[in-house]
Amino acid sequence: MDSSLLSLKKDPMGTAISDYYHHGKAAKLRVYSSQFDEDEIPVSQLFRTYEEMPPLEQRALQLAKGKILDCGAGSGCHALALQDMDKEVQAIDISPLSVEVMQQRGVKQAFQINLFDKNYLEKFDTILMLMNGSGIIGKLERMPIFFQKMKQLLNPDGCIYMDSSDLRYLFEEEDGSFLIDLAGDYYGEIDFQMQYKQVKGDVFDWLYVDFQTLSHYANENGFTAELIAEGDHYDYLACLKMKLYQ
Ligand code: SAH
């Protein structure tokens, strides 16, 4: 399992976040993938306030309680909203520049840590993985490693709130049928690479997972998955809890 951190030279999203924070604007944050056409992430969206967040994210922030971990926290938008609600939150990210900006923005506990670092062993009541938070898992084959890590970090009655999307709509035909190669890789396994100005990151795996598949892997790995809410476009929020007495 990759548990490394990003270096300053390979941190395009962090560079964009830092530019936007210090200058109030940013250039294009480009996203490349072997599976899709070139795209871009509007950097301002990474600084969304509670009011600007999609309802699924607002719901997760409302439900979050106790000691909270914001995993892959980016600019710290969720962590800051939680602090405003007087909730206790720790924010982690592999991006050095994002963590620096979080600290500058007033996130009280912001650390450059990889979720999969074996020395990272705190305990939380709520773990938040938002903005297609399942992405950090990378590939379906890493589900066992992910749930293993969650068992270490989560208190027994704790909950992981994770949002994701079912990418099947990308394979939908005009007649409403779906063209998915069942023998191929899972259709939510995407490779991405980002670039901001001259800063180009390495290619990384990012997992989009439909609720049924997530539920299946959760069950196999000692967790239950509950569907909390669905969004407008194949997106959803799930709550993952540890099965007790097994
Ligand atoms: N949650 C934020 C940012 C989402 S982008 C938001 O909703 O705006 C995903 C973030 O996860 C990036 O900042 C990336 O650096 C971070 N990340 C990716 N893999 C990670 C890992 N293994 N551990 C911690 N953070 C990770």
Side-chain angles (χ1 to χ4, degrees), residues 21-240:
Y21 177 63
H22 289 105
H23 309 295
K25 59 181 171 40
K28 277 188 180 172
L29 178 56
R30 296 173 201 275
V31 183
Y32 307 101
S33 168
S34 69
Q35 291 123 310
F36 302 118
D37 292 338
E38 187 184 325
D39 201 358
E40 77 180 84
I41 298 179
V43 182
S44 62
Q45 275 182 20
L46 298 172
F47 284 80
R48 59 203 179 280
T49 61
Y50 180 82
E51 287 71 30
E52 293 164 343
M53 287 172 193
L56 292 182
E57 293 185 3
Q58 293 179 340
R59 185 83 178 270
L61 296 185
Q62 290 296 341
L63 291 167
K65 59 178 190 201
K67 196 173 159 200
I68 303 163
L69 172 64
D70 182 1
C71 184
S75 81
C77 56
H78 298 115
L80 287 168
L82 289 165
Q83 285 184 181
D84 282 348
M85 298 174 182
D86 288 324
K87 298 188 184 188
E88 185 194 348
V89 56
Q90 182 168 118
I92 63 165
D93 205 290
I94 52 173
S95 152
L97 288 163
S98 298
V99 171
E100 191 180 277
V101 168
M102 282 198 268
Q103 290 164 345
Q104 290 164 340
R105 295 182 81 200
V107 177
K108 291 176 197 154
Q109 300 177 47
F111 306 115
Q112 194 195 4
I113 291 174
N114 188 312
L115 174 69
F116 296 100
D117 184 337
K118 61 179 184 346
N119 297 315
Y120 185 51
L121 292 169
E122 288 204 35
K123 287 282 184 196
F124 298 93
D125 301 299
T126 303
I127 298 180
L128 292 179
M129 301 183 70
L130 298 177
M131 195 174 157
N132 191 57
S134 64
I136 288 178
I137 303 167
K139 279 183 177 274
L140 281 185
E141 68 187 33
R142 294 190 198 144
M143 282 285 190
I145 298 170
F146 167 71
F147 282 111
Q148 195 61 34
K149 189 67 207 177
M150 291 297 109
K151 279 181 193 162
Q152 292 174 350
L153 294 179
L154 203 58
N155 279 325
D157 57 350
C159 175
I160 306 158
Y161 291 105
M162 177 191 282
D163 65 354
S164 193
S165 295
D166 183 350
L167 289 194
R168 70 202 304 251
Y169 65 88
L170 294 173
F171 305 92
E172 197 169 8
E173 298 291 287
E174 274 172 18
D175 65 1
S177 65
F178 290 92
L179 245 190
I180 290 171
D181 176 8
L182 292 174
D185 291 338
Y186 173 62
Y187 60 85
E189 292 181 336
I190 308 297
D191 61 79
F192 283 128
Q193 186 171 27
M194 290 198 265
Q195 182 171 3
Y196 181 76
K197 293 180 174 168
Q198 298 310 314
V199 184
K200 199 163 193 171
D202 288 331
V203 177
F204 59 94
D205 296 320
W206 198 247
L207 178 69
Y208 292 81
V209 64
D210 65 280
F211 178 72
Q212 240 193 323
T213 305
L214 175 65
S215 208
H216 167 79
Y217 280 93
N219 263 294
E220 281 203 334
N221 290 282
F223 280 74
T224 58
E226 185 192 342
L227 186 63
I228 301 288
E230 287 181 285
D232 299 335
H233 200 251
Y234 296 86
D235 51 334
Y236 66 90
L237 177 70
C239 166
L240 302 163

